[in-house]
Amino acid sequence: MQRKVTVIGAGNVGATVAQRLAEKQLADVVMIDIVEGLPQGKALDLQEAAPIEKHDARLTGTNDYKASEGSDVIIVTAGIPRKPGMGRGDLLTTNAKIVKGIMEQTAPLSPDAVLILVTNPLDAMCHVALQTSKFPRNRVVGMAGILDAARFRSFIATELNVSVENTHAFVLGGHGRTMVPLPRYSTVAGIPITELMPQDRIEALVERTRWGGVEIVDLLKNNSAYYAPASAAVEMADSILKDRKKILPCTAYLQGEYNIHDLFIGVPVKLGKDGVEEIIEVTLTEEERTALKKSADAVRSLVESLD
Ligand code: APR
């Protein structure tokens, strides 16, 4: 296989990302982790599953960044995950140091790569990656909106007893409690859910989406979610590697779009071989604009506390 994706962090999210990339035959995969033996062991285990899963992707596990040289896409999942009672913001200082160190080592080896950030707090980690890598803004993008939208979609499908494939959901804003799910742009077979569900049920599903990460942390206790986050990151990699130009909710660096300046926040973007090829602006109601501003203010204060 000719395309190369490096996954940094061979923990729950990273290993699941590597598995999905290989099984979908999207690229050869290099897994890097700070723990000796961990990426090597997981890559070998995944490689040994290949004859049964019927894919020809090559998986390499290493602690040496040299192996990442010339990557098309780099997916950053390294860091500490949340424990019960922790917000994503509690991970700020530790994960910022980790992401900075990773960027210093990987960016010079793959100067043309698209960076996909998964490590939380996501919006702030995107800032660290942009600043440290010095990549153009279109090649630094965060995974959050696809996950939040997938959670919303799965709740909508269960509520209405319809196929998840018929659902679309639209989520703006930061990855956290201030996220802005937009019910009027969320549909089943093209029909807005506002026509299919009473307002109180929509509000209940929106609230469950907002707290979707916490719901999983409270159940798992020692880990945060990883199956759905990995699926979301791989959907982004797929659109970039195959230049599919899918419109997906992702965390992008805004420079005036939505009247937000110099800040990473979740918006619909077109993802292709150059990363974020376009930021799609939709007209918001007064209420939605206010909610997005509140979300942007929360992200900005987290980023400023980092500085
Ligand atoms: N370089 C490389 N790998 C590192 C580094 C580093 N400096 N620091 C930590 N890691 C590795 C850990 O050794 C571990 O294997 O990152 C991995 C993280 O894996 P998990 O602890 O299983 O965490 P995971 O559930 O995968 O979440 C990772 O993604 O969704 C976010 O909030 C989540 O920030 C967290 C990240």
Side-chain angles (χ1 to χ4, degrees):
M1 220 169 284
Q2 289 173 9
R3 311 312 297 279
K4 177 169 172 180
V5 176
T6 292
V7 182
I8 304 173
N12 283 330
V13 179
T16 313
V17 165
Q19 178 182 358
R20 299 218 158 115
L21 286 169
E23 289 179 0
K24 288 173 189 263
Q25 303 220 75
L26 288 176
D28 290 334
V29 182
V30 175
M31 297 169 78
I32 300 181
D33 200 283
I34 200 165
V35 177
E36 276 185 35
L38 184 75
Q40 291 86 343
K42 290 197 179 179
L44 181 60
D45 197 6
L46 285 168
Q47 190 72 75
E48 289 168 356
I52 309 167
E53 296 299 334
K54 301 180 181 60
H55 68 74
D56 291 304
R58 294 249 171 269
L59 291 120
T60 310
T62 176
N63 309 107
D64 183 358
Y65 280 88
K66 189 85 179 67
S68 71
E69 192 164 9
S71 295
D72 297 290
V73 172
I74 296 171
I75 305 180
V76 181
T77 75
I80 51 162
R82 279 191 290 171
K83 303 273 179 341
M86 286 171 94
R88 292 184 179 90
D90 295 327
L91 310 174
L92 185 69
T93 324
T94 310
N95 284 353
K97 278 193 199 127
I98 291 174
V99 171
K100 184 167 185 287
I102 287 168
M103 284 302 129
E104 284 165 354
Q105 299 192 74
T106 47
L109 291 169
S110 301
D112 300 320
V114 178
L115 306 175
I116 300 177
L117 275 293
V118 178
T119 303
N120 276 311
L122 192 267
D123 314 88
M125 294 307 106
C126 291
H127 275 270
V128 174
L130 183 78
Q131 273 170 9
T132 317
S133 68
K134 303 197 169 51
F135 280 12
R137 71 163 178 161
N138 57 299
R139 288 198 283 113
V140 182
V141 58
M143 184 293 294
I146 301 174
L147 169 62
D148 296 330
R151 286 182 172 144
F152 196 21
R153 290 175 61 190
S154 78
F155 302 149
I156 292 167
T158 306
E159 177 83 8
L160 295 174
N161 193 24
V162 296
S163 166
V164 285
E165 279 188 45
N166 282 147
T167 63
H168 271 277
F170 197 104
V171 180
L172 288 174
H175 189 40
R177 286 152 213 179
T178 58
M179 76 177 73
V180 188
L182 296 190
R184 72 194 174 91
Y185 283 123
S186 301
T187 62
V188 175
I191 307 161
I193 58 166
T194 43
E195 292 191 23
L196 300 170
M197 271 186 244
Q199 189 58 26
D200 62 327
R201 288 309 302 153
I202 292 176
E203 276 164 22
L205 301 192
V206 164
E207 204 51 18
R208 191 171 175 200
T209 303
R210 223 184 272 291
W211 293 92
V214 172
E215 187 176 1
I216 305 264
V217 174
D218 285 347
L219 290 166
L220 294 181
K221 311 266 185 318
N222 290 317
N223 294 110
S224 51
Y226 53 99
Y227 292 118
S231 295
V234 171
E235 177 162 42
M236 292 168 72
D238 171 68
S239 196
I240 294 164
L241 291 164
K242 293 185 179 160
D243 195 22
R244 294 182 69 178
K245 304 195 190 297
K246 282 189 176 183
I247 309 294
L248 296 165
C250 296
T251 301
Y253 193 64
L254 303 192
Q255 289 181 308
E257 297 87 358
Y258 290 93
N259 208 19
I260 293 172
H261 297 267
D262 307 326
L263 196 73
F264 273 97
I265 197 131
V267 287
V269 305
K270 186 195 282 181
L271 269 193
K273 66 177 175 11
D274 296 323
V276 177
E277 297 185 351
E278 193 181 334
I279 291 170
I280 317 287
E281 285 195 75
V282 296
T283 311
L284 300 178
T285 64
E286 187 61 40
E287 195 185 342
E288 289 160 354
R289 257 201 308 275
T290 307
L292 183 61
K293 181 167 184 314
K294 193 171 151 215
S295 190
D297 289 346
V299 172
R300 201 179 290 282
S301 74
L302 204 59
V303 173
E304 281 171 2
S305 72
L306 196 62
D307 293 338

